[in-house]
Amino acid sequence: MSFQSEIVKWYFVNKRDLPWRETTDPYVIWLSEIILQQTRVEQGLPYFLKFLENFPDVKAFANASEERVLKLWQGLGYYSRGRNMLYTAKYVVDHFEGNFPTAYQDLLKLKGIGGYTAAAISSFSSNEKQAVVDGNVYRVLARYFGIEEAINSPKGQKQFAQLAQELIQDQEPAIYNQAIMEFGALHCKPKSPLCNQCPVQPGCYAYQHQKVEQLPLKLKKVKIRKRWFNYFVGINDDEILAKQRQPGDVWQQLYDFPLIESEQEVTIDDVALLAKVHELFGKNVELTVLESKKHVLTHQTIYVQFFAIDNYIVNFNQHTEIKSVKLTTFKQLPHPKIIGDFIEKHID
DNA sequence: AAGACGGGGCA
DNA sequence: TGCCCAGTCTT
């Protein structure tokens, strides 16, 4: 039996029941695929259900505010996915009369949809013969076929894409695509793959050559930047100082607090810090340390300190990025995870 | 071609 | 810790 047949056979026995597998609605599939980009099924599932409930169709999505979308997205990360979805929902309403496209070439033009997602939506919704190549597929193919080209080099990506497309030729696209991804996720896992009970073990290059742990090959990891964020929490009556994060940095468009970033860890009596604090909040401001935390992201580690401030004055004309908003309003805004956690813990 | 972009789970 | 996750966009 062929590699593909074995994978499909395995799939029918072992597949999970996942809600987006019950539909061919391209809008619903789009929702699931964007949410699942770089995201585990277990992490994305509750968000998928929440989004579908709030936005049952693409028109409902298109009518949402960016703030509402980002609030629903809060905690999931890679927030540009949410912003791009809103843009694309509007685009589909305006240019496709609200009918979400199913053709690979049409999908590829939409913001937030790349090769993987276009292949996924087109194959799942209309059975178009486009092979998905995600992290799971890279791993399965690299191991089984013994491909030593790096999965993140242009050359490697081309090679994997071509092989994947050859393999899907005589298959049912929707089922085969689901099958190979599911096989990678549950069986041919990154760590501790289940080789001893693998249906394609006899033909597996990596297994036969003891290279399971080495494949797939991935080039260089990026250096992780260290940053120090000093946040100032100012509450006066029922209002709080809020700041919206700007483009060009992490968490853009989300709301946090007035922030002084430093080049290293600072204490409450640091002269340089105090100078900036006085400039922002006036000479009479009083500081109290509330909490310190380490926030680890893929590309940077952020050491976060929260200070409470009292007796402060803010020149809102000079610092236009800072606003004073009602506490109830503030809580409804979208926040980075670490800010959302802080609010839940410290602000009633 | 390389970096940026979140957050969580696992060994 | 380091690596990976149903990747895409920007520089």
Side-chain angles (χ1 to χ4, degrees), chain A residues 143 148 195 204-215:
Chain A
R143 286 175 176 166
E148 317 239 4
C195 296
C204 180
Y205 177 93
Y207 184 81
Q208 303 302 341
H209 295 79
Q210 337 280 330
K211 286 195 169 179
V212 175
E213 301 296 326
Q214 286 91 298
L215 292 173

Side-chain angles (χ1 to χ4, degrees), chain A residues 230-276:
Chain A
N230 306 287
Y231 279 122
F232 298 91
V233 183
I235 300 180
N236 203 337
D237 282 340
D238 58 345
E239 295 209 344
I240 184 165
L241 296 178
K243 184 174 62 59
Q244 185 172 31
R245 297 187 57 81
Q246 301 303 305
D249 200 355
V250 72
W251 303 323
Q252 71 178 73
Q253 305 298 97
L254 304 192
Y255 292 83
D256 54 3
F257 304 116
L259 165 66
I260 295 176
E261 183 167 1
S262 51
E263 295 303 311
Q264 55 186 14
E265 173 112 42
V266 291
T267 55
I268 201 162
D269 52 7
D270 184 279
V271 176
L273 177 72
L274 282 177
K276 290 176 184 169

